[in-house]
Amino acid sequence: MIAERQRKLKALYTLGIYPYGRRFDRTALAAEVNDNSGPVRLAGRITALRSHGKAAFGDLSDISGVIQVYFQKDVLGPEFEVFLLLDIGDIIGVEGEPFRTRTGQVTVKSTKLVLLSKSNRPLPEKWHGLKDVETRFRQRYLDLIANQEVRNIFLARSSIISRMRQYLNEQGFLEVETPMMHPIPGGAEARPFITHHNTLDMDLYLRIAPELYLKRLLVGGLEKVYEINRSFRNEGISTLHNPEFTMLELYQAYGDYETMAEIAQGLILSLVPGPKSAYQGKEIDLTPPWRRVTLEALVKNYLGVSGWHNKEELARSAVREGIPLTGEETNFDLLDSLFKVKIQPDLIAPTFVLDYPKEISPLAKSKPDNEGVVERFELFIGGLEVGNAYSELNDPEEQRRRFEEKVMQNRPDLSLHVSDRDRLKVVDEDYVLALSYGMPPAGGLGIGIDRLVMLLTGCISIREVVLFPLLRPER
């Protein structure tokens, strides 16, 4: 097959045809053409050829869809020699008149043919149904050629992000950009990627979250800000996790986590066509107001334990659920594992899970009547966690204490594989300094865009909604 394509390539050069053309001005896309369109100029990839001697039909595919093109020797003249050297996968431009065939199919009768790019390799066998997962993700360009539904997912993703921007702009939020390389990792609990700046001779960390920079902007008087950002976490890969991912983070001065719940609900409802949806065969009722329930209530109801501080009860519950234990788990490791196994799969209808332990929420404000619990929610829809929000801690001395407690805990996710001396740098002194100038009370919200796109397009793996997911090296 490749040898035959090479033969045709040489034949084109012999005819004086350069097979990698230049600009071609289209007047329409395939989906826009009808038999009343008048003369049109189309360009796209050949996805089928049906020869009938001195005439032939081909299918031309572009971003909008597929249209049939009719090629006739008597009409094309010498250009028909070019047509005879075409293969499925070649990219061409055509001029012609639309008409309807006897079967009613809109077709363009080509009066001019231009070869724009020769495809020197055949598309995968049964390209129109490319299924091999490894090939699909490693060679996404083939996946996009072969599977219209995949193309539709990424068109939907672009539309979702555009509509999110529109909604937030209409709500008076200002889109901003913050650094992707940080001198100190912060804003979330995760292991960062480390890089090095040669000129300054300093280590930097790819951001795990933009939170601390965005809240500096609240200090500076920008009262409603958001960033659609790329963040990086040097952790595992799964159907829900890619080391490089896209988040929306927003902050609003003079609000709190209740404000963020209203924004999250309104934003997501603006992206769906109606109150009913479905994900992986489960019907989801999106009718507002969305359910709100405390984490403590869910833990007691589902796990039958007295609370998250009772490590023995949590461990026994984990054993009952078949969760493997090493004996080194903290209360909150156990709580997290049990929540994912026992509670989260039931959170199909949109649910705000409220009020989390202070120990795992160092940037959130404590509840006025309970110092050990913070004003935080996680939002679950269709069994997926899609959002996280706080009433933001704006007390600089309390924030410093929280940072120092995290350092003293010496958790693996804060060790960063560096010396004890460098570990103290986890206390972001500049952020504490910024708070000391006064940050207004505020609410902050993060939404995982990749997971939200999964939910809205029905995809079961994050790799289906990321154009180029990170994969293991090929063996």
Side-chain angles (χ1 to χ4, degrees), residues 68-95:
Q68 182 169 260
V69 181
Y70 179 55
F71 303 95
Q72 196 172 14
K73 183 175 182 179
D74 292 345
V75 175
L76 287 175
E79 290 177 5
F80 197 74
E81 294 300 313
V82 177
F83 169 79
L84 294 176
L85 296 172
L86 294 181
D87 289 296
I88 290 174
D90 290 352
I91 297 173
I92 62 171
V94 297
E95 291 183 18

Side-chain angles (χ1 to χ4, degrees), residues 282-346:
K282 301 169 186 172
E283 185 175 287
I284 303 173
D285 186 352
L286 297 167
T287 305
W290 291 351
R291 178 192 181 200
R292 302 184 186 203
V293 58
T294 65
L295 176 63
E296 182 179 31
L298 289 175
V299 167
K300 289 179 178 178
N301 291 340
Y302 278 83
L303 306 180
V305 300
S306 58
W308 57 58
H309 287 291
N310 194 320
K311 184 175 181 179
E312 290 184 1
E313 288 186 3
L314 289 170
R316 285 198 294 271
S317 183
V319 171
R320 284 197 302 273
E321 296 302 325
I323 297 171
L325 302 180
T326 65
E328 298 180 1
E329 292 84 3
T330 67
N331 295 43
F332 307 111
D333 294 329
L334 294 168
L335 177 63
D336 182 59
S337 296
L338 283 164
F339 187 92
K340 289 175 178 175
V341 169
K342 190 70 174 173
I343 302 173
Q344 185 171 333
D346 267 6

Side-chain angles (χ1 to χ4, degrees), residues 166-238:
Q166 180 182 356
Y167 180 88
L168 292 172
N169 293 342
E170 289 172 353
Q171 299 295 315
F173 283 86
L174 176 70
E175 184 172 12
V176 297
E177 295 172 296
T178 62
M180 296 178 72
M181 294 189 297
H182 294 181
I184 299 172
E189 291 191 13
R191 175 169 289 155
F193 289 93
I194 304 173
T195 187
H196 187 80
H197 192 288
N198 291 331
T199 301
L200 297 177
D201 191 25
M202 65 182 292
D203 284 344
L204 293 166
Y205 305 90
L206 295 186
R207 71 176 167 205
I208 56 177
E211 176 170 351
L212 300 185
Y213 282 93
L214 289 170
K215 288 194 287 194
R216 285 173 170 91
L217 299 180
L218 296 181
V219 174
L222 301 183
E223 296 179 353
K224 298 174 77 172
V225 295
Y226 76 94
E227 183 173 10
I228 294 175
N229 64 87
R230 305 290 286 180
S231 289
F232 308 84
R233 298 184 184 176
N234 195 355
E235 297 175 343
I237 297 174
S238 73

Side-chain angles (χ1 to χ4, degrees), residues 41-113:
R41 288 168 58 89
L42 304 171
R45 189 180 295 275
I46 298 171
T47 54
L49 286 170
R50 298 173 291 279
S51 181
H52 303 283
K54 296 183 179 181
F57 288 95
D59 291 343
L60 187 73
S61 172
D62 64 21
I63 190 66
S64 72
V66 179
I67 190 167
Q68 182 169 260
V69 181
Y70 179 55
F71 303 95
Q72 196 172 14
K73 183 175 182 179
D74 292 345
V75 175
L76 287 175
E79 290 177 5
F80 197 74
E81 294 300 313
V82 177
F83 169 79
L84 294 176
L85 296 172
L86 294 181
D87 289 296
I88 290 174
D90 290 352
I91 297 173
I92 62 171
V94 297
E95 291 183 18
E97 290 275 354
F99 71 99
R100 286 191 183 271
T101 64
R102 283 177 292 183
T103 59
Q105 184 173 358
V106 176
T107 302
V108 173
K109 183 177 182 180
S110 177
T111 57
K112 184 174 181 59
L113 168 65

Side-chain angles (χ1 to χ4, degrees), residues 135-282:
T135 301
R136 289 184 52 231
F137 295 150
R138 288 195 187 280
Q139 296 176 277
R140 181 67 88 181
Y141 45 89
L142 293 180
D143 193 21
L144 292 167
I145 292 171
N147 296 316
Q148 180 65 46
E149 63 272 20
V150 172
R151 214 182 302 181
N152 290 341
I153 287 169
F154 291 103
L155 292 173
R157 180 186 174 109
S158 179
S159 175
I160 288 165
I161 293 173
S162 177
R163 282 149 52 203
M164 292 174 80
R165 278 195 168 94
Q166 180 182 356
Y167 180 88
L168 292 172
N169 293 342
E170 289 172 353
Q171 299 295 315
F173 283 86
L174 176 70
E175 184 172 12
V176 297
E177 295 172 296
T178 62
M180 296 178 72
M181 294 189 297
H182 294 181
I184 299 172
E189 291 191 13
R191 175 169 289 155
F193 289 93
I194 304 173
T195 187
H196 187 80
H197 192 288
N198 291 331
T199 301
L200 297 177
D201 191 25
M202 65 182 292
D203 284 344
L204 293 166
Y205 305 90
L206 295 186
R207 71 176 167 205
I208 56 177
E211 176 170 351
L212 300 185
Y213 282 93
L214 289 170
K215 288 194 287 194
R216 285 173 170 91
L217 299 180
L218 296 181
V219 174
L222 301 183
E223 296 179 353
K224 298 174 77 172
V225 295
Y226 76 94
E227 183 173 10
I228 294 175
N229 64 87
R230 305 290 286 180
S231 289
F232 308 84
R233 298 184 184 176
N234 195 355
E235 297 175 343
I237 297 174
S238 73
T239 57
L240 295 176
H241 298 91
N242 193 59
E244 178 181 359
F245 59 98
T246 306
M247 282 199 302
L248 163 70
E249 282 214 13
L250 64 87
Y251 293 86
Q252 179 173 327
Y254 310 111
D256 63 4
Y257 76 144
E258 296 283 357
T259 313
M260 295 300 104
E262 293 301 319
I263 290 173
Q265 178 179 288
L267 174 61
I268 293 173
L269 286 174
S270 76
L271 304 174
V272 296
K276 300 290 184 182
S277 186
Y279 181 66
Q280 299 301 315
K282 301 169 186 172

Side-chain angles (χ1 to χ4, degrees), residues 352-370:
F352 294 107
V353 179
L354 307 170
D355 303 340
Y356 279 69
K358 181 176 75 172
E359 292 91 336
I360 58 172
S361 311
L363 297 164
K365 189 183 287 283
S366 293
K367 294 182 72 67
D369 57 350
N370 190 343

